[in-house]
Amino acid sequence: MEASARGDRVYHAITTAFAVSIPLLLVLIAISIGIAAWPALSQAGFSFITSSEWDVARGKFGAAPAIYGTIVSSAIALLIATPLAIGVSIFLSEIAPPWLRQPVGFLVDLLAAIPSVVYGLWGIFVLIPLLRDPIAPFLSDTLRLGSTPLFSGPNYGYSMLAAGLILAIMILPFISAVTREVLLAVPRSQREAALALGATRWEMIRDAVLPYARSGIIGGIILGLGRALGETMAVTMLIGNRPEISASLFAPGYTMASLIANEFTEATSDLHLSALMAVGAVLFVITLIVNALARWLVWQVTRKSAR
Amino acid sequence: MAGDKEVGEMRGRQRRHATSVVMLGLTYVAAAIATLPLLFIILYLLRKGAAFIRPAFFTQMPMPIGEVGGGMANAIVGTLILVSIASAIGLPIGIGAGLYLAEHRGSRLANTVRFLSDVLNGLPSIVIGIFAWEFLVRPFGNFSALAGGLALGAMMIPLVTRTTEEMVRLVPTSLREAALALGYTRWRTSVTIILRTAMPGIVTGALVAVARIAGETAPLLFTALGNQFWSTSLTEPIAALPLQIFTYAISPYDTAHAQAWAGALVLIAMVLVISLAARYATRSRFGTAGD
């Protein structure tokens, strides 16, 4: 009995240590990035996130263009991916004939398995030429959107739009996976009641299924946002990497992640390194908040159905 | 007048049905659009990359950039080494933490760890990369395979933790109770009965995690760094397939682009085979569970 009790204690101690290592790792990441970012943050102060002057030679570090680019490229991605992901999820959970469910679901899930760098490669050689030739002229000339600030200026392909498009493809499986999960958590009775009241299938989905799953779907969208905000390689390869704020989606931009990826190994001064660490710290805090919010929203729906 | 009302109702019903058909049709369209990119990408990769996949690609070293021929032997081996280091860290910690979460369901520590594990999972890989640099590259003064592997390992932990927890939860309580009633100690019950029963699911989770980190590039930029040589030392920079693809993709030479396509095809093939294996493992588990 003595030995077995000791075995249990050892087992408990080991699994507890592994479990506790996760919070410790997060704390360690936060502290070490925080310390490394401090010199740049304390020197630039609040202007670090408001100034758009990123001049390494003169020691000026304003991350506004990168923050702007991160938000805009992610917003484009969400605008494109959200309706598609919700459509696919409704298709897979409510409408598709059984023989289509598995393969379509599998193909959508596999989008998440493709490495970011492969998306980038494909983007450079397929998406960028497509944007440069049929798509951009179509948007600016045929649709006459060229006079609006959103689609003005020359289009080299490498642009905010390119980054947003590739991000849309990349985050679609994440939004769709969560949406499918919460749609499946909607009780059967909810659907049956709507149909019994004479609703069409679409009305049943719109009035009985989607409202029930709403906070979970929003959680999935926010989870996709979290992915888009931190996505690095594909965006770095397609966005053009220019630290300017331009209203045009055809203009090249920068994101926090691509800024770090581009300049980190070339940073020579301590202040430059610290500034990049500070960009990382901002990204860390934003994604932390976004993820926590998303998890909480999804948890709300799945907990409801677990009861 | 009753007739008018009936006609109105019928029109309304027709309109509602038409709306329903249109909206449901749109979900078909969404499904088609969502699956097209994957097919496009894979077909394009096959078209561009297949021609350059020769035995030499797997056995030879990279040529100086701009020259024809050569392979990615060092990058393929480098990726295997990095994935092995990552697994050596990510698997035990992830499985241990997952066991803890499943066995202490509802405790405050378990809830905190579960939540933070999801938060860690959502952390951008580039943030993990600069952390690994700050923690393992800066103090030691050089880029290393070890730092790259550790960064990837940190990314594996939350993935493995959560799948382990899910899989252990699926093990029937009666099995645990039976083992305890037979006089098994708690730890032996967990390790021999619970872990073994949940093992196929845990293997699936591990494979999914490996597939995900094998293609990671961003955290390796500042840790493993990559090189053009044959190196297997853990304390020095090491080549990796995704890094090599990145380098070739942004270079201006057509020969390099060709190598990038071939490399991408190999990487995708690795990732897809692992993903399919994971899916197969899950299916056979559910298959036997139904018997």
Side-chain angles (χ1 to χ4, degrees):
Chain A
M1 284 311 277
E2 276 298 299
S4 74
R6 199 181 311 134
D8 279 351
R9 269 205 302 277
V10 171
Y11 171 77
H12 183 74
I14 291 174
T15 53
T16 310
F18 282 157
V20 168
S21 74
I22 291 171
L24 282 183
L25 181 61
L26 261 177
V27 170
L28 204 61
I29 293 173
I31 291 176
S32 68
I33 291 179
I35 290 174
W38 184 246
L41 281 178
S42 63
Q43 199 206 44
F46 201 64
S47 78
F48 185 78
I49 54 171
T50 55
S51 161
S52 54
E53 192 183 6
W54 185 273
D55 189 337
V56 176
R58 288 175 45 226
K60 298 264 186 203
F61 297 104
I67 296 171
Y68 171 84
T70 305
I71 293 169
V72 172
S73 58
S74 303
I76 300 171
L78 281 188
L79 278 177
I80 300 168
T82 301
L84 280 177
I86 294 179
V88 175
S89 308
I90 294 175
F91 177 76
L92 289 173
S93 72
E94 315 282 335
I95 293 163
W99 62 271
L100 255 181
R101 272 175 210 199
Q102 277 261 329
V104 172
F106 183 52
L107 287 179
V108 174
D109 288 343
L110 269 190
L111 278 178
I114 295 185
S116 178
V117 71
V118 175
Y119 276 114
L121 178 71
W122 184 78
I124 289 178
F125 294 102
V126 180
L127 187 62
I128 298 274
L130 276 178
L131 273 179
R132 213 182 280 149
D133 197 4
I135 298 178
F138 174 77
L139 285 172
S140 57
D141 302 336
T142 316
L143 293 183
R144 298 185 181 282
L145 292 169
S147 52
T148 62
L150 225 48
F151 297 98
S152 63
N155 178 25
Y156 307 108
Y158 295 91
S159 58
M160 207 71 106
L161 188 59
L165 280 170
I166 207 79
L167 280 176
I169 302 176
M170 296 177 77
I171 65 172
L172 193 141
F174 290 99
I175 305 179
S176 150
V178 176
T179 306
R180 251 180 290 164
E181 189 191 321
V182 294
L183 286 183
L184 289 176
V186 176
R188 235 191 145 68
S189 55
Q190 200 86 1
R191 297 184 176 83
E192 284 160 1
L195 290 178
L197 287 173
T200 61
R201 267 177 100 192
W202 165 246
E203 285 165 347
M204 180 252 316
I205 293 166
R206 190 192 58 193
D207 299 332
V209 176
L210 291 181
Y212 191 92
R214 189 174 55 216
S215 72
I217 296 174
I218 295 173
I221 296 168
I222 296 175
L223 207 66
L225 172 66
R227 292 279 162 186
L229 293 171
E231 190 43 64
T232 310
M233 297 318 294
V235 172
T236 306
M237 292 161 89
L238 302 181
I239 202 169
N241 301 312
R242 196 191 293 164
E244 279 170 12
I245 294 180
S246 165
S248 173
L249 301 182
F250 288 165
Y254 229 152
T255 68
M256 290 186 268
S258 65
L259 174 60
I260 301 171
N262 266 314
E263 295 193 1
F264 203 84
T265 39
E266 282 154 24
T268 43
S269 76
D270 282 344
L271 192 62
H272 189 190
L273 264 177
S274 177
L276 292 170
M277 283 288 184
V279 173
V282 174
L283 188 56
F284 178 94
V285 171
I286 293 177
T287 48
L288 204 73
I289 295 169
V290 164
N291 275 301
L293 185 64
R295 291 295 170 190
W296 183 73
L297 285 167
V298 176
W299 182 68
Q300 293 263 309
V301 172
T302 43
R303 188 191 46 157
K304 226 174 1 184
S305 77
R307 268 200 304 230
Chain B
M1 291 303 108
D4 277 1
K5 201 179 156 205
E6 257 169 46
V7 168
E9 255 176 29
M10 237 161 68
R11 285 219 182 106
R13 197 179 305 157
Q14 273 170 355
R15 192 171 40 78
R16 286 170 50 215
H17 276 277
T19 313
S20 181
V21 168
V22 168
M23 293 311 289
L24 300 190
L26 280 179
T27 69
Y28 273 87
V29 175
I33 297 178
T35 44
L36 279 180
L38 183 84
L39 299 176
F40 273 158
I41 289 172
I42 290 181
L43 285 178
Y44 204 82
L45 270 179
L46 281 172
R47 208 171 60 131
K48 284 286 203 172
F52 303 99
I53 304 274
R54 301 188 204 91
F57 187 83
F58 299 94
T59 56
Q60 287 183 6
M61 299 292 292
M63 297 292 277
I65 213 150
E67 285 182 37
V68 184
M72 289 200 191
N74 61 335
I76 294 170
V77 171
T79 286
L80 294 178
I81 292 176
L82 287 167
V83 169
S84 307
I85 301 172
S87 304
I89 298 157
L91 292 183
I93 297 182
I95 293 174
L99 275 173
Y100 181 91
L101 291 188
E103 288 175 3
H104 297 80
R105 230 168 291 173
S107 82
R108 187 181 284 177
L109 178 62
N111 286 338
T112 311
V113 169
R114 184 177 304 116
F115 178 72
L116 292 180
S117 164
D118 286 345
V119 169
L120 182 63
N121 189 23
L123 218 56
S125 59
I126 193 147
V127 171
I128 308 263
I130 57 173
F131 160 71
W133 181 87
E134 179 70 24
F135 207 68
L136 293 160
V137 175
R138 190 179 227 180
F140 297 102
N142 71 314
F143 299 98
S144 68
L146 213 52
L150 283 164
L152 296 182
M155 295 182 61
M156 272 181 91
I157 293 173
L159 290 165
V160 178
T161 300
R162 291 309 305 275
T163 38
T164 303
E165 185 196 359
E166 298 290 325
M167 294 307 146
V168 169
R169 275 186 182 202
L170 290 179
V171 177
T173 329
S174 54
L175 210 60
R176 160 184 295 270
E177 284 161 358
L180 290 173
L182 286 174
Y184 268 51
T185 56
R186 283 185 163 275
W187 72 272
R188 278 196 65 195
T189 308
S190 286
V191 174
T192 57
I193 309 289
I194 308 282
L195 254 192
R196 190 183 303 161
T197 314
M199 199 40 92
I202 295 174
V203 169
T204 304
L207 286 174
V208 169
V210 164
R212 173 158 162 213
I213 58 145
E216 269 298 337
T217 320
L220 299 181
L221 291 173
F222 335 119
T223 51
L225 192 68
N227 62 33
Q228 298 287 322
F229 328 111
W230 185 261
S231 67
T232 51
S233 165
L234 299 189
T235 52
E236 289 186 18
I238 194 166
L241 208 43
L243 282 174
Q244 197 74 11
I245 296 169
F246 177 58
T247 312
Y248 283 145
I250 59 173
S251 94
Y253 301 100
D254 283 345
T255 51
H257 298 162
Q259 292 292 86
W261 286 113
L265 187 57
V266 172
L267 184 61
I268 282 276
M270 271 168 61
V271 169
L272 290 191
V273 165
I274 299 172
S275 303
L276 285 170
R279 215 170 164 83
Y280 180 76
T282 317
R283 178 174 301 178
S284 63
R285 183 174 58 83
F286 286 130
T288 52
D291 291 344

